[in-house]
């Protein structure tokens, strides 16, 4: 392997006047190199394979012009650097400078070129620095996902008081999230076997799927009035999530999201007559089916539990609320969704929406380019001074 070092000649004000570079055979680290013109007797250490120095006075001088060169890198006390480079035999252009150490600049004792002898200008030689590869980090591109979000509400009487508020909360959060980032979002609002006037929930799940998505009604799992009571059909949340995940007219490549708003168990509502917590086996099994279908279709289920009154007995009410809340949370967690309860702030809901709909960036692209050749380095413009 080969190793390159760069060095600079500084003007009296500390600005860069000239730049140099050298390369030798061998790894970086402790090294002791003495080079005499043409590799004459007295040279030692690894072989120099390249040397270039350039400033506006001497122009560019290379390895063939290097009369002597000493570079010791290792013990701090003995590390040193000195050069003597001239266009022999004319010797009209050249530089003699040294000895520099890591903590001390060397003196340019001879400096001649355009303008004649310039040795009394007080310029100094820096100790070399290892030339490292150039690493460029390019910022990742913004990827704007196509997102479909279906907001579904339990349309039973217990949700009537909350429907208008929830409608405004959801709409406000979505609008705010959209203003913060580029997005390709489509939002659809649906009620389960019912709607609420003067809200965004003006279309039922069944009507949307059969009329807009053109799905055969016999394929739907949601129950009709002939199969259950009116309130039970409006509270079949798990069945609604299963039907939407399976039959909604998702856009190609869209990130699929269902946001359910409710306050009762996920299969036909409360079952207090059968269970002390309002949950029964049918509720759990329906939720399990919805979770499985969501996973199969790549749909994330988000749940929001509103306030409800489950019993006049405070202890029983709280026990029921916690059981229902736990099931809402399980459905969201197992499908990589988010769970929210009525006590959560609007900002928390909005933050979730931003994660769902906002564009993301691809990982930054990191490219590493080996150090350029010495001549290219020393002849780069823009950071060396004009002669004074």
């Amino acid at each position: 392997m080969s190793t390159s070092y760069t060095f600079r000649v500084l003007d009296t004000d500390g600005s860069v006047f000239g730049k140099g570079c050298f390369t030798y055979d061998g790894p970086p680290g402790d090294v002791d190199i003495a080079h005499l013109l043409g590799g004459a007797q007295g040279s030692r250490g690894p072989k120099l394979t390249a040397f270039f120095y350039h400033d506006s006075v001497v122009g560019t001088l290379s390895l063939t012009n290097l009369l002597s060169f000493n570079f010791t890198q290792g013990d701090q006390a003995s590390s040193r650097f000195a050069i003597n480079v001239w266009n022999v035999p004319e010797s009209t252009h050249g530089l003699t400078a040294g000895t520099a150490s890591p903590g001390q600049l060397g003196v340019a004792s001879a400096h001649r070129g355009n303008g004649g002898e310039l040795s009394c200008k007080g310029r100094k030689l820096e100790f070399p620095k290892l030339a490292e590869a150039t690493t460029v980090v390019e910022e990742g591109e913004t990827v704007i996902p196509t997102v479909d979000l279906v907001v579904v509400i339990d349309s039973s009487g217990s949700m009537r008081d909350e429907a208008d508020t929830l409608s405004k909360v959801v709409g406000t959060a979505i609008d705010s999230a959209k203003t913060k980032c580029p997005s390709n979002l489509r939002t659809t609002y649906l009620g389960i076997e019912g709607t609420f006037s003067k809200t965004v929930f003006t279309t039922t799940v069944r009507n949307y799927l059969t009329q807009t998505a053109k799905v055969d009604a016999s394929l739907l799992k949601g129950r009709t009035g002939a199969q259950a009571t009116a309130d039970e059909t409006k509270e079949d949340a798990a069945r609604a999530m299963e039907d939407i995940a399976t039959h909604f007219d998702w856009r190609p490549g869209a990130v699929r999201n269902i946001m359910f708003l409710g306050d009762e168990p996920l299969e036909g509502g409360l079952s207090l007559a059968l269970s002390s917590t309002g949950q029964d086996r049918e509720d759990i099994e329906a939720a399990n089916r919805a979770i499985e279908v969501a996973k199969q279709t790549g749909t994330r289920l988000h749940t929001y539990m509103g306030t409800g009154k489950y019993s006049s007995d405070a202890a029983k009410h709280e026990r029921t609320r916690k059981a229902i809340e736990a099931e809402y949370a399980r459905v969201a967690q197992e499908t990589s969704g988010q769970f929210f309860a009525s006590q959560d702030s609007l900002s928390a809901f909005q933050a979730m929406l931003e994660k769902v709909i906002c564009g993301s960036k691809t990982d930054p692209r990191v490219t590493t380019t080996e150090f350029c050749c010495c001549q290219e380095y020393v002849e780069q413009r823009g950071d060396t001074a004009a002669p004074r």
Side-chain angles (χ1 to χ4, degrees):
M1 66 175 297
S2 63
T3 301
S4 294
Y5 279 82
T6 63
F7 62 92
R8 305 182 303 174
V9 171
L10 304 181
D11 223 326
T12 52
D13 62 358
S15 61
V16 178
F17 186 82
K19 297 195 300 183
C21 174
F22 59 89
T23 302
Y24 64 83
D25 286 334
D30 293 355
V31 66
D32 184 11
I33 303 175
H35 174 88
L36 299 179
L37 181 63
Q41 187 176 1
S43 298
R44 68 175 183 273
K47 179 183 178 182
L48 281 183
T49 58
F51 176 93
F52 285 92
Y53 174 75
H54 177 87
D55 67 33
S56 55
V57 171
V58 304
T60 300
L61 298 171
S62 65
L63 184 61
T64 59
N65 307 119
L66 192 58
L67 302 182
S68 64
F69 171 97
N70 286 275
F71 176 58
T72 301
Q73 167 74 29
D75 178 60
Q76 188 76 4
S78 61
S79 293
R80 60 190 184 276
F81 178 59
I83 59 172
N84 187 19
V85 56
W86 292 82
N87 65 328
V88 292
E90 297 87 355
S91 296
T92 57
H93 292 68
L95 173 71
T96 302
T99 298
S101 67
Q104 182 70 44
L105 299 175
V107 176
S109 58
H111 195 191
R112 187 181 307 132
N114 298 327
E117 180 63 47
L118 299 172
S119 300
C120 300
K121 297 293 184 177
R123 298 188 177 107
K124 300 293 180 67
L125 175 68
E126 274 190 331
F127 190 79
K129 295 180 180 179
L130 182 65
E132 299 180 347
T134 300
T135 299
V136 177
V137 180
E138 297 180 12
E139 188 175 358
E141 295 181 356
T142 299
V143 178
I144 301 175
T146 299
V147 178
D148 283 343
L149 174 62
V150 184
V151 183
V152 187
I153 193 169
D154 164 357
S155 58
S156 64
S158 63
M159 290 292 289
R160 182 172 296 277
D161 291 341
E162 289 192 307
D164 184 58
T165 300
L166 289 173
S167 174
K168 292 177 180 178
V169 166
V170 173
T172 299
I174 290 174
D175 288 343
S176 180
K178 287 172 65 177
T179 62
K180 290 188 176 181
C181 59
S183 61
N184 183 3
L185 173 69
R186 178 180 66 160
T187 308
T188 306
Y189 299 90
L190 304 173
I192 304 175
E193 294 296 323
T195 60
F196 293 107
S197 60
K198 298 182 180 179
T199 73
V200 293
F201 301 100
T202 58
T203 304
T204 66
V205 173
R206 183 176 302 276
N207 285 345
Y208 185 92
L209 294 180
T210 57
Q211 297 174 15
T212 303
K214 308 299 181 184
V215 176
D216 188 333
S218 65
L219 299 176
L220 301 182
K221 300 295 179 66
R223 295 177 293 182
T224 65
Q227 299 167 306
T229 67
D231 273 349
E232 286 176 331
T233 63
K234 295 175 181 179
E235 295 164 343
D236 276 344
R239 291 173 181 261
M241 289 187 278
E242 186 178 349
D243 283 339
I244 293 169
T246 304
H247 301 296
F248 189 77
D249 55 339
W250 305 104
R251 289 179 293 175
V255 180
R256 302 180 176 193
N257 296 272
I258 297 173
M259 180 74 201
F260 170 67
L261 312 172
D263 63 354
E264 297 196 22
L266 302 176
E267 172 82 349
L270 283 172
S271 305
L272 289 176
L274 302 176
S275 169
S276 62
T277 64
Q279 304 273 354
D280 57 21
R281 181 172 55 84
E282 285 76 16
D283 292 313
I284 307 301
E285 291 177 351
N288 288 339
R289 290 193 299 269
I291 291 169
E292 184 61 27
V293 170
K295 290 180 177 179
Q296 292 173 354
T297 58
T299 307
R300 287 182 289 187
L301 303 179
H302 311 282
T303 55
Y304 178 95
M305 182 175 167
T307 58
K309 184 67 175 177
Y310 310 113
S311 174
S312 57
D313 180 273
K316 188 173 185 179
H317 167 83
E318 184 63 13
R319 184 169 61 249
T320 302
R321 184 193 66 77
K322 288 183 176 180
I324 298 172
E325 183 175 291
E327 193 67 354
Y328 275 49
R330 180 176 76 90
V331 168
Q333 181 180 10
E334 294 193 16
T335 60
S336 300
Q338 299 286 326
F339 165 71
F340 298 90
S342 56
Q343 64 266 26
D344 290 324
S345 66
L346 175 60
S347 61
F349 182 49
Q350 182 178 317
M352 180 277 289
L353 287 169
E354 290 176 13
K355 291 181 181 178
V356 170
I357 73 173
C358 288
S360 60
K361 285 193 173 182
T362 58
D363 292 335
R365 185 173 64 180
V366 180
T367 57
T368 301
T369 305
E370 291 300 322
F371 177 71
C372 66
C373 72
C374 283
Q375 185 171 4
E376 181 181 344
Y377 167 77
V378 301
E379 292 183 343
Q380 287 173 343
R381 294 184 173 183
D383 57 356
T384 57
R388 300 181 188 179

